[in-house]
Amino acid sequence: METTRSTSIILDTDPGCDDAVAIMLAAKQACLNLKALTVVAGNDILPKTARNALAVCSYLGLDQLTIAAGMVRPLVREQVVIKGIHGENDLANLEFGEPTIKLSNKHAVNLIIDILLSAEEEITFVALGPLTNLAMAIRLEPRIIPKIKRIVLIGGSYGFGNITPAAEFNIYADPEAAHIVFTCGRPIVMIGLSITERVLVTKEVMEKIGSINNRAALLFSKLMTFYNRANHRFFCEEVSPLYDPAAIVYLINPSIFTTKPMYVEIELKSAQSYGRTYCDYYGTLNKSANAEVVTDLDSDGFWSIIYETIKLYG
Ligand code: BDR
Ligand code: CA
């Protein structure tokens, strides 16, 4: 139910195991008013990410949610998808029945524009995948820019990369779109790979959430059992970083995050560093910061919000 103090959000996603958990959280928190779910090509091609959004939301009984499919490919570069980590179907190879929810007839980019232009309240745009949909909406209808309260995104890194040594996947998958978003002038919260060690799904986390007896917890456990095994080669044990839910946890309780204002530019020309978020950590360029970059988060606080939110499912 919408409350006066709720934050209205558009959630843009490319499910994906960790996206699925983020959707689970966003849909159930009374402090968030989820206006729509918009889907983008990212972890996989659009038909698969859109199908997964419908599957997860149908499974969770989120029948009232508007879900729209958006851009089928990045703005400029060839599409790059993730192989293996999320499973063949990008949802841990789990089988879902026929979705009860249908896609909106609107293209996600038009839906984003319509929601923003007609909204009386401020809207936060939450991005869990490549930034193609938002960038396209900004280019198509620049009048939406002042209507965006802020952009909370999962992506980037001021250190190492995860898809190349220099770049994080969501930014690398559409650097030109990221450039449009990072130069649009609205406040940005960038939650990147600095949180990797803080959001690992450990055995203890699996046990705690596994002790909840509802559909959401069951889905969490099945997704994460697969995801943990798939990430074994990176972490040398069965754990995995649960990135995307961090954006939702941030909206619920930003005080558990440490951020630092930085000037961030997207590398578009270098062959080796294409898609890198070039972050001026020490302010050496003397340029105004365009992003609050997350540098740390309180792990216990993070998991406790996830646990309490999953418990809300009946
Ligand atoms: C991002 O990559 C994707 O595979 C995840 O869903 C997440 O959004 C982390 O780099
Ligand atoms: Ca994602």
Side-chain angles (χ1 to χ4, degrees):
M1 198 178 45
E2 189 175 340
T3 68
T4 44
R5 291 177 56 224
S6 71
T7 302
S8 290
I9 64 170
I10 296 172
L11 185 58
D12 193 71
T13 176
D14 61 335
C17 295
D18 57 338
D19 298 77
V21 177
I23 294 168
M24 189 187 287
L25 305 178
K28 210 61 179 178
Q29 270 285 348
C31 65
L32 299 177
N33 173 20
L34 181 52
K35 306 283 279 186
L37 202 68
T38 53
V39 188
V40 68
N43 278 317
D44 214 323
I45 56 173
L46 186 72
K48 289 173 87 176
T49 54
R51 177 204 62 199
N52 288 349
L54 295 176
V56 168
C57 293
S58 298
Y59 171 86
L60 293 171
L62 308 174
D63 291 349
Q64 304 308 314
L65 192 55
T66 303
I67 306 176
M71 298 294 286
V72 295
R73 52 154 294 163
L75 296 185
V76 177
R77 68 158 306 146
E78 289 301 314
Q79 187 172 6
V80 42
V81 298
I82 297 273
K83 293 272 177 229
I85 297 290
H86 297 273
E88 263 314 300
N89 70 349
D90 310 294
L91 286 179
N93 298 335
L94 298 176
E95 286 187 17
F96 294 83
E98 195 54 34
T100 51
I101 309 175
K102 301 269 173 274
L103 280 176
S104 160
N105 292 330
K106 271 191 195 173
H107 191 284
V109 172
N110 291 324
L111 182 65
I112 290 166
I113 291 171
D114 290 351
I115 291 175
L116 285 165
L117 288 185
S118 63
E120 282 166 15
E121 77 276 33
E122 292 182 302
I123 309 267
T124 296
F125 193 92
V126 186
L128 311 178
L131 293 160
T132 323
N133 282 343
L134 179 57
M136 192 67 190
I138 287 171
R139 283 293 190 255
L140 190 59
E141 183 44 277
R143 285 183 304 150
I144 66 170
I145 295 172
K147 306 280 288 192
I148 303 171
K149 181 181 179 196
R150 65 179 166 173
I151 299 155
V152 177
L153 64 91
I154 298 291
S157 170
Y158 57 85
F160 51 83
N162 63 355
I163 187 79
T164 72
E168 180 280 334
F169 175 72
N170 286 343
I171 305 297
Y172 180 78
D174 197 342
E176 284 75 16
H179 168 76
I180 291 170
V181 170
F182 275 83
T183 54
C184 79
R186 299 309 296 152
I188 292 177
V189 178
M190 175 181 130
I191 309 176
L193 301 181
S194 58
I195 64 168
T196 302
E197 301 298 325
R198 298 282 182 268
V199 295
L200 290 176
V201 184
T202 59
K203 199 162 156 276
E204 293 71 37
V205 168
M206 290 294 278
E207 279 169 11
K208 180 108 201 271
I209 296 180
S211 71
I212 306 172
N213 184 20
N214 66 28
R215 286 170 84 70
L218 184 64
L219 180 58
F220 178 95
S221 299
K222 288 185 173 173
L223 290 170
M224 291 305 122
T225 300
F226 179 95
Y227 202 45
N228 276 358
R229 282 193 193 129
N231 272 289
H232 185 271
R233 74 188 168 99
F234 298 108
F235 296 94
C236 301
E237 56 176 316
E238 288 191 6
V239 293
S240 51
L242 194 62
Y243 293 116
D244 291 348
I248 310 302
V249 173
Y250 179 86
L251 293 169
I252 296 168
N253 186 0
S255 76
I256 65 168
F257 291 73
T258 309
T259 64
K260 186 170 163 59
M262 294 185 208
Y263 170 73
V264 181
E265 218 173 85
I266 310 299
E267 176 55 58
L268 298 177
K269 296 204 171 77
S270 152
Q272 284 164 332
S273 299
Y274 184 49
R276 178 175 180 203
T277 44
Y278 178 72
C279 298
D280 191 6
Y281 188 92
Y282 289 115
T284 52
L285 299 174
N286 257 330
K287 292 191 170 182
S288 304
N290 56 349
E292 280 292 327
V293 178
V294 167
T295 54
D296 202 358
L297 70 79
D298 161 19
S299 224
D300 290 344
F302 174 83
W303 287 115
S304 129
I305 288 175
I306 292 186
Y307 176 78
E308 292 303 333
T309 309
I310 290 180
K311 258 183 30 181
L312 295 174
Y313 281 85

